[in-house]
Amino acid sequence: MSKVLAHSLLTDFDINLFKSGNHYKLYEKLGSHICERAGVKGTYFAVWAPSAQQVSVVGNFNHWQDGEHKLNVRWDSSGIWEGFIPDIGHGEIYKYKIHATHNGFVTEKADPYARRAEHPPQTASVVYKTNHTWNDKKWMDKRHKHNGLDAPISVYELHLGSWRRKQEEGNRGLSYSELATTLVDYVKKLNFTHVEFMPIMEYPYDPSWGYQVTGYFAPTSRFGYPEELMTLIDALHASDIGVILDWVPSHFPEDPHGLGNFDGTACYEHPDKKKGYHQDWKSLIFNYERNEVRSFLISNAMFWLEQYHVDGLRVDAVASMLYLDYSREDGEWEPNDQGGRENLAVISLLKELNEALYGAFPDIQIIAEESTSFPMVSRPVFSGGLGFGMKWMMGWMHDTLNYFKRDAIYRNHHHNEISFSMTYGFTENFMLPLSHDEVVYGKGSILGRMPGDEWQRFANLRLLYTYMYTHPGAKLLFMGSEFGQGTEWNFQDQLDWYVLDYEIHSNMQKAFAAINGLYTSTPTLYEKQFDPEGFEWIAHDDSKNAVLSYLRKGNDPKTLIVCVFNMTPVPREDYRIGVPFFGRFREIFNSDALEFSGTGAYKNVDLTVIAEGWNGKTHSTSITVPPLSGVIFELKAD
């Protein structure tokens, strides 16, 4: 009797969907699945290896002996090898031993669909069946209110391995379970609405930060078991905090146990190096033209949304996917069939991906990290867009950081840098990112970019965040930036939490929590954050004083938020601004407050709106704008 019994979870319909690129739940069919066959308990294995001559399951149960448990290739030309092995259960480790049909090539591969992987540097897959009862029905029923484009979206981006560490225990990272208390409390305290985890899919190499994935369906075992990650997500949801995962469909590493050269051929990667190899990242590019690969990618995105209840995906490196000439010189790429530089297969895949994900989960957000001017990234597919919910506003990020690093005496000559974003600010549904990419590779910290003495640097940072959190669009901030970490991020160590012992840093944290809280609790700042009706300039041209001012509008036409920013260390007293109507005018936030380590000397009280036109408006008022500060007012019509 064969050690591998004939068995299949795949129907003809599954095979047709898989081969046509339209199977969106392959994780239910491929990989390892604990089940019964004719009353016998065991595990069903299925793997796609179309160019293999023989595939065996090897592991501790057969002393890693090739040929002991040979899978059977399906008759339908799908390239899928499958079979049922009795008495193999939860926790068994395994790989696929694959013999190619040419040149005697033999390799051992981890299971592309495994739900769990060994702790790196070990590389085998684990037969695994999760056992978790979800407790987030209340959140799931109402998350459309938290993820909508008319909701406040303030995201805390973090790298799990270096947020906090147990230094007394070998400097290890916190487990998913430990994060379920410490992280949740912290994020809530700082008034964030969402967290975004840098990739937590299994990866072999710590310095990649998770962006070189080998186990697309397995949460990294560095921080614990799959159920512990589910517990963390449950805890975040219980505190009304959404969860976004970084997702990497743009490339994967060449590690021997990974997807590369899977069956002795370019199975998952494109066989043409001009389309299949990233010269910058020394990694392989998925073959987006191959239907089975398209099914793999869409199924993987669907998996995290369905099985882990995540509320969104941030799709990494979309620009590198969209353009055939991305980071390539002449002769290193070939035009598409229409003579252009766009990767047409990627465009069609992204449209299909977003339609499938939003069709299944209309209350999520899929966010593109896309750095070019590719049109309509965050517009619906039916209107010609790529179908993403949001897009990172990379232009805003670069212009703003370039502006803020300038000494204040020169800023009046670069006023256009800080006002330019609104010339295109509503062409997409933009998210404003100050991400991990801005605090690595010698760039220093966000605080480290700020000019001047210590007081000025912290004043500039408070000013930057006040501007960012009143500017139209969703927000994202990388961990540590909220309290003014002075050093560049180091993935091998925890954040510089010790600096919170110093008043200027703890007050910076208070200031951030306050402006974040103002954004997340003030409908006028978010109800129309992606709508040009939600924004109106007061004065974008006061370069002489380096002062910027604008109105934010929500659904209530009788309530406006007035935002004024002084980009110099010179206080602007008796500074007149125009407003569109008469009403009660009061200061609701001042980044120069004493409790934030500001001067506390420039307050706005007993303000009066008069019927004197200014800045093209029918009414006006006179205010004081402290040095290097942002001041936010509320105007309510009587």
Side-chain angles (χ1 to χ4, degrees):
M1 182 176 179
S2 171
K3 294 181 179 179
V4 178
L5 306 180
H7 188 65
S8 184
L9 298 181
L10 292 153
T11 66
D12 290 344
F13 186 57
D14 286 320
I15 297 300
N16 288 334
L17 288 177
F18 176 53
K19 292 169 72 173
S20 64
N22 296 309
H23 203 308
Y24 302 153
K25 292 191 176 184
L26 282 174
Y27 49 90
E28 296 179 346
K29 307 292 182 174
L30 298 183
S32 58
H33 298 270
I34 299 170
C35 58
E36 287 190 14
R37 178 189 182 277
V40 178
K41 294 181 179 180
T43 298
Y44 166 76
F45 294 88
V47 62
W48 179 56
S51 296
Q53 183 180 46
Q54 176 184 301
V55 178
S56 297
V57 183
V58 295
N60 286 342
F61 52 89
N62 61 16
H63 306 288
W64 300 91
Q65 292 300 305
D66 186 13
E68 287 288 307
H69 292 90
K70 296 180 183 178
L71 298 180
N72 305 305
V73 66
R74 288 181 62 90
W75 55 270
D76 51 21
S77 302
S78 63
I80 294 173
W81 298 74
E82 62 182 355
F84 176 86
I85 304 179
D87 303 321
I88 297 298
H90 182 84
E92 290 280 4
I93 63 172
Y94 69 99
K95 283 185 177 179
Y96 295 117
K97 191 86 167 188
I98 300 174
H99 294 251
T101 56
H102 66 289
N103 298 331
F105 179 85
V106 181
T107 187
E108 285 187 4
K109 292 291 186 179
D111 189 341
Y113 291 87
R115 304 294 182 91
R116 181 164 168 74
E118 284 189 299
H119 192 298
Q122 304 303 313
T123 59
S125 301
V126 182
V127 176
Y128 204 86
K129 184 176 183 179
T130 54
N131 181 24
H132 179 79
T133 301
W134 286 98
N135 298 300
D136 63 348
K137 185 178 187 303
K138 183 179 177 182
W139 165 268
M140 297 297 281
D141 287 346
K142 66 177 182 180
R143 74 172 176 182
H144 63 281
K145 297 179 180 179
H146 296 274
N147 281 347
L149 295 178
D150 59 351
I153 297 177
S154 177
V155 182
Y156 189 51
E157 183 194 30
L158 68 154
H159 175 259
L160 290 185
S162 58
W163 183 66
R164 280 191 185 272
R165 285 178 174 257
K166 290 279 189 178
Q167 294 180 312
E168 69 279 11
E169 297 179 22
N171 202 33
R172 69 168 177 84
L174 298 187
S175 68
Y176 298 125
S177 296
E178 290 168 329
L179 289 162
T181 53
T182 54
L183 176 63
V184 175
D185 292 344
Y186 184 79
V187 170
K188 195 72 174 176
K189 172 187 172 183
L190 272 292
N191 295 312
F192 287 101
T193 64
H194 293 70
V195 295
E196 179 179 318
F197 297 148
M198 291 168 66
I200 58 171
M201 301 78 181
E202 194 60 81
Y203 58 98
Y205 187 51
D206 285 347
S208 78
W209 313 330
Y211 289 97
Q212 298 277 6
V213 179
T214 51
Y216 272 81
F217 292 84
T220 179
S221 54
R222 288 168 174 81
F223 312 121
Y225 292 90
E227 291 89 348
E228 292 180 277
L229 174 57
M230 293 174 173
T231 298
L232 169 57
I233 293 170
D234 249 340
L236 287 160
H237 285 172
S239 291
D240 287 338
I241 299 165
V243 179
I244 299 167
L245 298 186
D246 267 11
W247 184 56
V248 190
S250 49
H251 64 115
F252 57 90
E254 294 185 279
D255 292 64
H257 68 286
L259 298 177
N261 199 33
F262 190 79
D263 59 1
T265 66
C267 194
Y268 286 88
E269 69 271 28
H270 200 287
D272 183 350
K273 289 291 186 182
K274 292 180 179 180
K275 293 183 179 180
Y277 187 73
H278 260 302
Q279 300 171 95
D280 293 350
W281 303 327
K282 310 301 181 189
S283 56
L284 302 171
I285 303 172
F286 284 103
N287 185 352
Y288 306 108
E289 301 165 17
R290 193 164 193 173
N291 286 338
E292 296 88 347
V293 173
R294 295 165 73 96
S295 286
F296 171 84
L297 289 171
I298 297 177
S299 292
N300 184 241
M302 193 76 72
F303 171 80
W304 293 102
L305 296 166
E306 180 187 89
Q307 299 290 308
Y308 282 82
H309 288 204
V310 302
D311 306 293
L313 300 173
R314 175 265 199 186
V315 183
D316 182 60
V318 172
S320 75
M321 298 169 65
L322 284 171
Y323 294 103
L324 296 166
D325 63 345
Y326 181 86
S327 195
R328 296 180 188 273
E329 304 294 334
D330 289 345
E332 295 177 346
W333 66 282
E334 294 178 355
N336 61 38
D337 292 341
Q338 300 173 6
R341 53 194 283 258
E342 298 80 12
N343 191 323
L344 302 179
V346 166
I347 292 171
S348 68
L349 171 65
L350 293 176
K351 290 180 177 182
E352 184 179 350
L353 169 80
N354 285 317
E355 284 192 314
L357 299 183
Y358 279 112
F361 304 99
D363 53 355
I364 58 167
Q365 282 296 339
I366 308 299
I367 305 157
E369 189 228 351
E370 204 286 309
S371 56
T372 74
S373 58
F374 193 96
M376 302 181 71
V377 171
S378 59
R379 295 294 180 257
V381 173
F382 66 76
S383 64
L386 290 183
F388 286 95
M390 285 184 273
K391 168 182 169 171
W392 275 19
M393 197 175 191
M394 310 293 273
W396 172 88
M397 178 187 70
H398 291 303
D399 288 346
T400 299
L401 291 177
N402 282 339
Y403 180 86
F404 269 88
K405 75 180 181 182
R406 298 184 188 281
D407 192 292
I409 65 173
Y410 301 116
R411 286 179 177 172
N412 62 328
H413 299 295
H414 299 274
H415 200 64
N416 63 304
E417 287 182 2
I418 201 67
S419 61
F420 181 70
S421 62
M422 292 317 304
T423 64
Y424 63 95
F426 298 103
T427 57
E428 301 276 5
N429 298 331
F430 280 120
M431 174 176 280
L432 280 57
L434 291 178
S435 72
H436 68 275
D437 282 327
E438 299 312 304
V439 294
V440 291
Y441 298 139
K443 296 177 183 177
S445 65
I446 301 297
L447 175 65
R449 285 173 167 78
M450 302 296 113
D453 59 23
E454 182 183 67
W455 186 91
Q456 289 183 334
R457 290 192 298 121
F458 278 89
N460 269 303
L461 192 61
R462 297 192 302 270
L463 172 59
L464 166 61
Y465 293 156
T466 307
Y467 166 63
M468 173 182 180
Y469 275 76
T470 58
H471 188 289
K475 331 293 179 188
L476 178 140
L477 189 73
F478 185 60
M479 63 181 196
S481 303
E482 73 277 10
F483 58 76
Q485 174 156 317
T487 59
E488 186 172 273
W489 171 53
N490 176 8
F491 76 92
Q492 295 175 305
D493 206 351
Q494 68 173 358
L495 298 180
D496 293 342
W497 295 106
Y498 69 88
V499 302
L500 288 171
D501 292 337
Y502 299 94
E503 185 177 66
I504 198 163
H505 285 277
S506 62
N507 286 346
M508 180 65 243
Q509 188 185 58
K510 290 178 188 175
F512 178 81
I515 189 59
N516 198 13
L518 181 70
Y519 163 67
T520 57
S521 64
T522 306
T524 309
L525 287 174
Y526 59 74
E527 287 175 335
K528 295 185 176 181
Q529 59 190 343
F530 303 110
D531 185 339
E533 292 183 0
F535 177 89
E536 183 180 334
W537 283 114
I538 297 174
H540 61 81
D541 55 355
D542 188 5
S543 58
K544 177 182 177 182
N545 292 304
V547 172
L548 197 71
S549 54
Y550 51 74
L551 303 173
R552 292 300 313 280
K553 306 176 184 179
N555 295 333
D556 179 3
K558 294 184 178 181
T559 301
L560 298 177
I561 298 298
V562 181
C563 310
V564 187
F565 308 95
N566 179 6
M567 306 297 184
T568 75
V570 179
R572 305 298 175 186
E573 301 185 75
D574 196 24
Y575 187 84
R576 184 160 294 278
I577 58 169
V579 293
F581 52 74
F582 179 79
R584 289 166 291 166
F585 194 81
R586 66 186 182 95
E587 180 184 290
I588 59 174
F589 181 84
N590 188 326
S591 71
D592 187 53
L594 193 61
E595 62 265 33
F596 304 152
S597 292
T599 69
Y602 302 93
K603 300 177 181 178
N604 289 276
V605 295
D606 300 325
L607 297 170
T608 303
V609 175
I610 61 175
E612 178 182 345
W614 204 263
N615 299 129
K617 308 290 190 288
T618 56
H619 294 68
S620 64
T621 187
S622 182
I623 62 173
T624 296
V625 194
L628 293 174
S629 297
V631 188
I632 314 301
F633 305 89
E634 180 186 70
L635 174 61
K636 275 187 172 289
D638 288 335

